[in-house]
Amino acid sequence: QVQLVESGGGLVQPGGSLRLSCAASRSIFSFATLGWYRQAPGKQRELVATITGGFSTNYADSVKGRFTISRDNSKRTSYLQMNSLKPEDTAVYYCNLQDSNRGYWGQGTQVTVSS
């Protein structure tokens, strides 16, 4: 069983940067895929980025070239580096861990991009 806690959200101006972190209560196994999702008001939750146990990454078209997902297994943590932020990036961001049995979700962290 895994518990996930997000941090690093906040208010930032357009064009600014934030780095989100997701800390897991247990060690991250090599087969576990980590992901970041987001949900804006009035919209469904959407996938932002994923990183596999083999460090292969995938990004939504809307964030390619601006966001970078990474992981540090020794720290049991995943990261989402967000650059060149736009108002449309405003959402609650959730981290996810998918192991061989089930998926786990964090409680979310608010990111607001506004002048």
Side-chain angles (χ1 to χ4, degrees):
Q1 194 169 24
V2 177
Q3 287 76 49
L4 304 175
V5 180
E6 301 97 336
S7 63
L11 175 65
V12 64
Q13 294 182 341
S17 298
L18 285 174
R19 186 180 70 172
L20 306 183
S21 299
C22 176
S25 61
R26 305 288 177 86
S27 61
I28 299 175
F29 298 103
S30 62
F31 53 79
T33 295
L34 309 177
W36 285 93
Y37 294 71
R38 67 186 181 186
Q39 187 167 21
K43 296 184 178 180
Q44 294 186 337
R45 188 173 299 185
E46 64 176 351
L47 187 148
V48 176
T50 60
I51 183 167
T52 69
F55 297 92
S56 178
T57 59
N58 183 257
Y59 298 92
D61 288 341
S62 60
V63 306
K64 285 182 179 178
R66 300 189 298 121
F67 291 10
T68 302
I69 188 171
S70 61
R71 66 193 295 168
D72 186 335
N73 290 343
S74 67
K75 297 180 179 179
R76 306 190 309 275
T77 302
S78 66
Y79 303 95
L80 184 69
Q81 178 67 46
M82 304 185 294
N83 300 136
S84 301
L85 283 162
K86 305 174 181 179
E88 49 264 47
D89 295 318
T90 296
V92 177
Y93 284 70
Y94 300 88
C95 65
N96 171 268
L97 183 152
Q98 180 68 52
D99 66 15
S100 60
N101 296 318
R102 58 160 290 181
Y104 300 88
W105 292 93
Q107 292 300 307
T109 185
Q110 177 71 49
V111 172
T112 302
V113 184
S114 177
S115 299

